[in-house]
């Protein structure tokens, strides 16, 4: 992914929001869409 383990942990614990590029890389890695990986319903706009 090109990021540290701490960054991934922070995303998992919802302490950090992934950039669009990172979100795309994570989704592509798992063969999923960004919407399938990340729950965007609870995010503030």
């Amino acid at each position: 992914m090109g990021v540290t383990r701490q960054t991934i942990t922070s995303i998992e614990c919802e302490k950090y929001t992934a950039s669009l590029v990172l979100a795309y890389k994570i989704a592509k890695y798992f063969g999923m869409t960004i919407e399938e990986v990340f729950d965007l319903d609870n995010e503030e706009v």
Side-chain angles (χ1 to χ4, degrees):
M1 298 296 125
V3 297
T4 65
R5 187 178 314 163
Q6 290 83 3
T7 298
I8 299 298
T9 300
S10 294
I11 293 169
E12 291 175 339
C13 295
E14 298 180 1
K15 294 181 181 179
Y16 173 77
T17 303
S19 68
L20 183 56
V21 172
L22 180 55
Y24 175 78
K25 287 180 181 180
I26 292 170
K28 185 175 178 183
Y29 177 84
F30 287 106
M32 302 171 77
T33 65
I34 292 173
E35 292 84 1
E36 292 172 317
V37 176
F38 295 95
D39 178 14
L40 303 175
D41 291 335
N42 296 325
E43 292 294 317
E44 292 183 23
V45 179

